[in-house]
Amino acid sequence: QFETELGEILTIDCLGTGLGQDMTLSGQDSQGVNFGEVVNGQTYRRDFVLTNIGESEGVITGVNFSGPDADKFSLDNAITFPFSLASGQSFSDISNASQILFTPGETGSFNATLQFTTDLNTDVIESINLSGSAINAATLTPQQEPFVVPTTNTGEDVIYDVPVTNTGSLSLVIKNSYNFASNTDRLTAAFTNASGPDSVYPITLEPGQSGNIPVRFRPDGSVDFYQTTIAVVTDENTSNSDFFCPVPACGASSGYVHFVDVVGGVNRAK
């Protein structure tokens, strides 16, 4: 309303449409994504959260890694840009590839920042802090894969040594071994009772040092070829361990499991 100099009141109707809040991105909490302490030589994955908490749909146009260790981090290569997020929608709603990858490549502590850019004129950027550290590890490496035991006569009962080497940078202890998979009970891990009088375990291997895993071969001549997978249990989470196995599933000792394939032929003529 306006009042004129003559004291008249003029009324003007005004119409308008209010605009909702533009797309606003909300990422990880203030802690960011922390990979913790990992073993060097592998790639690790963590989920990330990216949600549009604004009132309008928007487009994520790209991503940028910055900071002193940006080359240690990457996104799952299944993620493609650009992509749209509706109001209230998270990236995990439209893709199952919402993961950040950490590949240290060396020991130490690493930090970087992950930034998402949008199509808004305001150049809104959502940042997620990334961190992680890596340590060296022991590495248990069979000297022959698969290990081929010598051809053995039917009815013989022989112990053969399967050589392995610690090719890593930390010491490890071989605690035990057991049969993981086999098509016969004639080619098996030997001396698996770590507390028994005949046991060769534990075996300590310093970096560069080798040791032997005993296997027992008792071919009965029912087949020409025998094979098994020996699970070697160590105390260290080495750079190539297959999984962690608790007691009693791993026999006498819990620990980190390494697979060693063993094969052998039989001389049936004897």
Side-chain angles (χ1 to χ4, degrees):
Q1 291 181 331
F2 298 92
E3 183 178 355
T4 70
E5 62 182 2
L6 300 176
E8 297 174 326
I9 301 297
L10 300 178
T11 301
I12 300 175
D13 295 328
C14 299
L15 299 175
T17 301
L19 294 177
Q21 182 184 13
D22 286 334
M23 179 181 73
T24 302
L25 295 177
S26 175
Q28 217 80 10
D29 60 26
S30 59
Q31 299 301 315
V33 176
N34 184 359
F35 286 82
E37 186 178 79
V38 300
V39 174
N40 185 31
Q42 301 183 42
T43 295
Y44 301 85
R45 295 171 175 266
R46 292 289 186 274
D47 292 333
F48 68 86
V49 177
L50 186 69
T51 303
N52 179 7
I53 62 173
E55 298 178 10
S56 302
E57 181 180 83
V59 177
I60 311 299
T61 56
V63 67
N64 177 56
F65 288 89
S66 62
D69 307 303
D71 61 327
K72 309 297 183 186
F73 301 90
S74 61
L75 282 188
D76 191 307
N77 58 17
I79 300 175
T80 58
F81 297 93
F83 60 84
S84 299
L85 286 181
S87 175
Q89 191 174 42
S90 297
F91 181 69
S92 57
D93 297 332
I94 62 174
S95 173
N96 59 4
S98 54
Q99 290 189 323
I100 300 169
L101 280 59
F102 178 40
T103 308
E106 59 184 319
T107 60
S109 297
F110 308 101
N111 295 277
T113 301
L114 169 60
Q115 297 176 317
F116 293 92
T117 58
T118 76
D119 63 340
L120 299 177
N121 293 331
T122 54
D123 194 28
V124 173
I125 295 179
E126 171 61 25
S127 298
I128 299 176
N129 294 323
L130 308 175
S131 59
S133 60
I135 59 172
N136 278 330
T139 303
L140 188 69
T141 304
Q143 295 183 15
Q144 182 184 11
E145 186 71 21
F147 179 79
V148 181
V149 301
T151 299
T152 303
N153 296 329
T154 299
E156 285 190 307
D157 189 342
V158 186
I159 301 294
Y160 293 108
D161 286 331
V162 179
V164 293
T165 302
N166 180 4
T167 57
S169 55
L170 296 178
S171 63
L172 63 83
V173 176
I174 300 175
K175 303 171 70 176
N176 195 23
S177 66
Y178 66 96
N179 290 343
F180 181 79
S182 177
N183 67 351
T184 176
D185 61 358
R186 295 298 169 179
L187 182 58
T188 62
F191 306 131
T192 58
N193 185 357
S195 61
D198 295 327
S199 178
V200 299
Y201 302 108
I203 302 172
T204 300
L205 296 182
E206 300 297 333
Q209 190 174 12
S210 297
N212 294 315
I213 307 300
V215 296
R216 187 179 187 183
F217 193 24
R218 298 169 295 159
D220 59 2
S222 59
V223 294
D224 293 324
F225 186 77
Y226 298 79
Q227 60 185 15
T228 191
T229 298
I230 303 298
V232 181
V233 184
T234 68
D235 65 332
E236 289 289 334
N237 183 12
T238 68
S239 63
N240 62 340
S241 57
D242 291 283
F243 63 90
F244 179 81
C245 187
V247 172
C250 291
S253 303
S254 63
Y256 297 91
V257 172
H258 308 257
F259 293 143
V260 178
D261 293 325
V262 182
V263 298
V266 60
N267 182 4
R268 287 176 158 183
K270 299 293 184 180

